[in-house]
Amino acid sequence: MATQRVTVLKASLKNRAGALLNVMAALKSKNVGLTGLWGFSKSGGKADLYVVAKNPAKARAILKKARVYRSEMNAFSVKGKDRAGALNSTLGKLARKRVNINAVH
């Protein structure tokens, strides 16, 4: 399994048609590639967007300019073969080092 530390940028969008498209178009206009993207609707007409960009600094600037940037966090990206139990070895290493996992996708 290949494990890499990544920066996850959190944005807050209005939960309406086209909001995600606007952010994606802004990132594309500056040629910002992504390695991960997750979005979830929330109450109150809002949605959270989590972006893992190949160039986090560039993506951060774009999200700030669009006034949707909220925060960022460090995470691990784990890639490997699609087979039963493939993640267990990596999870064991993290547990032995007492690394708590807050979310997994």
Side-chain angles (χ1 to χ4, degrees):
M1 304 233 76
T3 304
Q4 177 184 10
R5 180 172 254 173
V6 296
T7 299
V8 180
L9 304 171
K10 181 181 178 183
S12 180
L13 310 178
K14 291 182 180 176
N15 188 5
R16 69 171 191 223
L20 179 59
L21 174 62
N22 292 338
V23 172
M24 294 297 100
L27 292 168
K28 182 180 185 259
S29 74
K30 299 296 183 184
N31 200 32
V32 175
L34 305 180
T35 60
L37 180 71
W38 301 269
F40 308 92
S41 64
K42 297 175 20 176
S43 62
K46 296 284 184 181
D48 283 343
L49 181 66
Y50 297 88
V51 178
V52 180
K54 292 179 181 178
N55 185 333
K58 210 170 174 183
R60 182 185 311 106
I62 292 165
L63 295 174
K64 283 183 175 182
K65 185 175 181 183
R67 298 179 186 228
V68 296
Y69 174 84
R70 293 297 170 258
S71 63
E72 61 188 75
M73 63 195 98
N74 291 317
F76 293 103
S77 174
V78 181
K79 296 180 183 179
K81 295 187 179 194
D82 182 12
R83 63 176 173 78
L87 190 56
N88 292 356
S89 174
T90 300
L91 292 174
K93 290 175 186 176
L94 291 171
R96 285 189 292 282
K97 295 209 180 239
R98 301 219 179 272
V99 174
N100 187 40
I101 298 171
N102 293 319
V104 64
H105 171 78

